[in-house]
């Protein structure tokens, strides 16, 4: 089968949206011929240096990359975002890029040869592009973004909370009134949602059936041997950008509530605007012995570090399915997470611990109590590690092939029935 794949971000070296597209392509290209639309392999619009560097030394069979360069209008729209003057200007630039991509495909001969179109990314629903207009079976997703942030936690953000406050207010307005989203949803022959919460929202808002599948998954399961050696200290890892949305302040406040704080060391990996504040807070409270601050670390270095950690913590206020949850699962590391968004679906009692999301202080106190217990009960960690490996298998990319094959068949069948 020949599939036209839509993605904006794409890179073999990065995580998040970049990894979502790359892992999909490298998996599905083993079975189908792919024509891949892409707009960037870095955070700079139209920069394909990552992809070009990889292609200089590697090949990917059954894949043709269609690098769509941004128009002048798109580059102008992106200037305010590029120089950190306006976060939202990127969306105007991205919309212009989508128009350019549609024009390129319309002028090409690809449409006459492909069997279906799959919009893989970006994951956010707000910009569906224009390829859904083409007379071909169309799959949209996994997509997300319909769920709102817990208001109680939102009020405890460190740093600038205005953007996320604005998102919570405007999000329902966007998904109810955006006509192009409605048209894309109606025209899609198959819709895939990245969380169960988004599945429910799509059904409620659009009356559309959506199938659940996390946008990313596990490429390799690395360690077949599960053991927990008796250690003086429990090594806990937190990975992410040090920004308000990731809420690293939950970790700090939980440590201040712990009774067994001498038994733990927190490894904080990631740079960002809150990093200076976090370092100063550690010094202020005399917690230098309890934290290792790495700052920004190359992805390959993170893979080297992961085997040394016992527990992984996610404190994010807003996520679909963060890439790091799959990377830690692949190393048999249990996750402690807030019970919301994608983590609510992936983490269960056999492979991790979920904290109910009610009020900020309740979350902090629950996390402190969980860490106190785990720091003196290595057997509990051992049981969770066994559960991680049992759960990890169902999230591997190889186990998604049948799911996608069924989606392709459904899309073609639905398209055929509608166009009889």
């Amino acid at each position: 089968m020949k599939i036209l794949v839509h993605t904006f971000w794409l890179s073999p070296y990065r995580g998040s949206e970049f990894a979502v597209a790359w892992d999909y392509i490298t998996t599905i290209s083993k079975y189908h011929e792919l024509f891949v639309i892409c707009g960037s392999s870095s955070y700079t619009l139209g920069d394909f240096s990552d992809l070009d560097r990889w292609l200089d030394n590697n090949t990917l069979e059954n894949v043709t990359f269609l690098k769509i360069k941004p128009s002048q209008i798109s580059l102008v729209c992106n200037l305010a975002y590029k120089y950190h003057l306006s976060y939202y200007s990127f969306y105007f630039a991205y919309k212009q890029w989508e128009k350019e991509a549609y024009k390129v495909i319309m002028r090409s001969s690809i449409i006459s040869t492909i069997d279906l179109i799959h919009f893989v990314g970006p994951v956010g629903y707000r910009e569906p592009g224009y390829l859904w207009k083409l007379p071909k079976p169309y799959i949209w997703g996994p997509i997300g973004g319909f769920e709102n942030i817990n208001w109680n936690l939102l009020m405890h953000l460190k740093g600038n909370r205005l953007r996320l406050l604005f998102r919570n207010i405007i999000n329902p307005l966007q998904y109810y009134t955006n006509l192009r989203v409605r048209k894309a949803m109606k025209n899609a022959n198959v819709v895939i949602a990245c969380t169960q919460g988004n599945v429910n929202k799509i059904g409620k808002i659009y009356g559309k059936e959506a199938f659940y599948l996390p946008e990313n998954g596990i490429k390799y399961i690395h360690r077949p041997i599960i053991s927990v050696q008796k250690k003086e200290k429990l090594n806990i890892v937190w990975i992410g950008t040090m920004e308000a949305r990731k809420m690293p302040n939950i970790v700090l406040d939980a440590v201040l509530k712990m009774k067994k704080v001498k038994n733990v060391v927190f490894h904080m990996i990631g740079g960002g605007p809150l990093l200076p504040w976090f370092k100063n807070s550690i010094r202020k409270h005399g917690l230098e012995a309890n934290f290792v601050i790495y700052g920004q670390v190359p992805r390959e270095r993170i893979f080297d570090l992961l085997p040394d950690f016992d527990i992984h913590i996610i404190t994010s206020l807003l996520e679909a399915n963060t890439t790091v949850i799959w990377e830690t699962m692949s190393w048999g590391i249990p996750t402690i997470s807030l019970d919301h968004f994608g983590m609510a679906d992936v983490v269960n009692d056999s492979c991790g611990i979920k904290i109910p999301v009610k009020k900020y202080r309740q979350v902090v106190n629950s996390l402190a109590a969980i860490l106190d217990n785990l720091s003196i009960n290595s057997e509990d960690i051992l049981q969770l590690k066994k559960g991680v490996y049992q759960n990890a298998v169902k999230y591997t990319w190889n186990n998604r092939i049948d799911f996608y094959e069924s989606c392709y068949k459904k899309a073609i069948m639905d398209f055929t029935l509608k166009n009889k």
Side-chain angles (χ1 to χ4, degrees):
M1 191 182 295
K2 294 182 178 181
I3 304 173
L4 179 62
V5 179
H6 175 293
T7 181
F8 178 72
W9 286 296
L10 170 72
S11 173
Y13 306 116
R14 301 173 190 260
S16 288
E17 298 266 16
F18 299 95
V20 170
W22 187 257
D23 291 345
Y24 170 86
I25 291 163
T26 54
T27 301
I28 302 303
S29 63
K30 297 173 185 175
Y31 306 91
H32 301 287
E33 184 177 358
L34 308 182
F35 299 88
V36 181
I37 298 172
C38 51
S40 177
S41 63
S42 79
Y43 288 104
T44 301
L45 188 68
D47 176 13
F48 298 99
S49 55
D50 273 12
L51 179 59
D52 292 339
R53 177 158 55 99
W54 190 88
L55 290 173
D56 283 343
N57 301 297
N58 303 275
T59 57
L60 199 53
E61 291 187 14
N62 294 326
V63 178
T64 301
F65 291 103
L66 308 169
K67 295 182 282 188
I68 310 295
K69 295 181 179 179
S71 64
Q72 287 300 314
I73 295 175
S74 186
L75 290 172
V76 169
C77 290
N78 195 52
L79 285 175
Y81 176 80
K82 181 178 180 181
Y83 292 105
H84 309 290
L85 298 174
S86 171
Y87 172 83
Y88 298 102
S89 66
F90 170 77
Y91 289 99
F92 294 103
Y94 173 55
K95 183 176 181 178
Q96 295 302 319
W97 179 87
E98 286 286 2
K99 290 180 178 179
E100 189 65 25
Y102 180 66
K103 290 177 184 176
V104 170
I105 296 303
M106 285 292 288
R107 291 194 298 261
S108 74
S109 59
I110 292 174
I111 290 302
S112 61
T113 64
I114 62 168
D115 298 295
L116 64 87
I117 301 167
H118 188 175
F119 187 114
V120 174
V123 174
Y125 76 88
R126 290 173 182 81
E127 181 47 69
Y130 300 89
L131 297 186
W132 51 268
K133 292 184 174 184
L134 299 173
K136 292 289 180 177
Y138 185 80
I139 299 174
W140 190 14
I143 59 171
F146 295 97
E147 298 174 275
N148 261 14
I149 302 165
N150 180 283
W151 283 100
N152 289 315
L153 266 61
L154 189 56
M155 303 314 295
H156 288 270
L157 287 174
K158 290 291 179 185
N160 186 357
R161 65 169 68 101
L162 290 178
R163 180 166 63 86
L164 293 177
L165 281 167
F166 180 67
R167 181 199 180 277
N168 250 26
I169 294 168
I170 201 172
N171 193 36
L173 181 65
Q174 288 177 310
Y175 58 62
Y176 276 116
T177 64
N178 190 315
L179 293 180
R180 195 151 48 89
V181 170
R182 282 195 172 273
K183 289 178 181 179
M185 194 69 70
K186 182 179 180 180
N187 206 61
N189 302 105
V190 169
V191 175
I192 307 168
C194 60
T195 72
Q196 288 289 356
N198 281 295
V199 168
N200 297 336
K201 282 284 189 181
I202 291 168
K204 181 179 178 181
I205 299 163
Y206 306 104
K208 186 88 174 184
E209 180 184 22
F211 301 95
Y212 165 67
L213 183 75
E215 72 275 19
N216 214 336
I218 297 170
K219 294 182 73 173
Y220 310 106
I221 298 176
H222 295 280
R223 286 191 299 183
I225 300 173
I226 304 169
S227 64
V228 176
Q229 297 178 352
K230 187 66 178 177
K231 299 179 181 179
E232 290 184 6
K233 293 182 182 293
L234 185 68
N235 288 293
I236 303 163
V237 63
W238 182 99
I239 305 174
T241 305
M242 282 276 187
E243 62 177 0
R245 180 175 65 89
K246 299 289 187 176
M247 291 200 87
N249 47 304
I250 290 179
V251 173
L252 183 63
D253 288 341
V255 171
L256 294 172
K257 289 283 185 178
M258 286 183 67
K259 297 175 181 177
K260 307 289 184 182
V261 70
K262 291 183 179 180
N263 295 351
V264 297
V265 176
F266 295 83
H267 299 259
M268 309 296 290
I269 300 177
L274 289 182
L275 185 57
W277 167 82
F278 199 87
K279 288 180 177 179
N280 290 335
S281 298
I282 290 170
R283 286 193 293 268
K284 176 184 174 182
H285 294 289
L287 295 170
E288 291 92 339
N290 296 102
F291 284 92
V292 179
I293 308 297
Y294 294 79
Q296 189 66 37
V297 173
R299 198 161 177 239
E300 294 77 10
R301 173 63 176 148
I302 294 176
F303 296 153
D304 292 337
L305 292 168
L306 283 178
D308 296 327
F309 302 132
D310 304 302
I311 294 289
H312 166 230
I313 292 182
I314 300 175
T315 55
S316 295
L317 189 64
L318 174 66
E319 293 285 357
N321 292 277
T322 176
T323 304
V324 72
I325 196 169
W326 312 116
E327 292 168 349
T328 52
M329 282 185 80
S330 73
W331 285 101
I333 303 171
T335 291
I336 302 171
S337 169
L338 306 188
D339 188 11
H340 62 182
F341 295 100
M343 292 78 74
D345 303 319
V346 175
V347 178
N348 59 53
D349 292 343
S350 69
C351 66
I353 300 171
K354 292 188 287 190
I355 301 172
V357 181
K358 297 176 182 177
K359 295 189 176 181
Y360 182 80
R361 189 52 54 191
Q362 163 261 320
V363 168
V364 168
N365 290 339
S366 296
L367 178 57
I370 290 165
L371 294 173
D372 277 332
N373 178 64
L374 290 176
S375 70
I376 58 175
N377 292 300
S378 59
E379 280 299 316
D380 289 351
I381 299 174
L382 177 60
Q383 290 304 313
L384 289 173
K385 281 180 171 286
K386 291 178 180 178
V388 171
Y389 278 115
Q390 291 168 359
N391 280 270
V393 173
K394 66 182 179 182
Y395 292 113
T396 59
W397 273 99
N398 286 336
N399 271 354
R400 293 171 174 228
I401 294 164
D402 289 343
F403 173 86
Y404 276 121
E405 291 291 350
S406 68
C407 287
Y408 302 152
K409 291 176 183 177
K410 283 188 180 84
I412 292 170
M413 184 181 299
D414 184 72
F415 178 83
T416 303
L417 290 172
K418 285 180 177 179
N419 290 274
K420 270 189 175 181

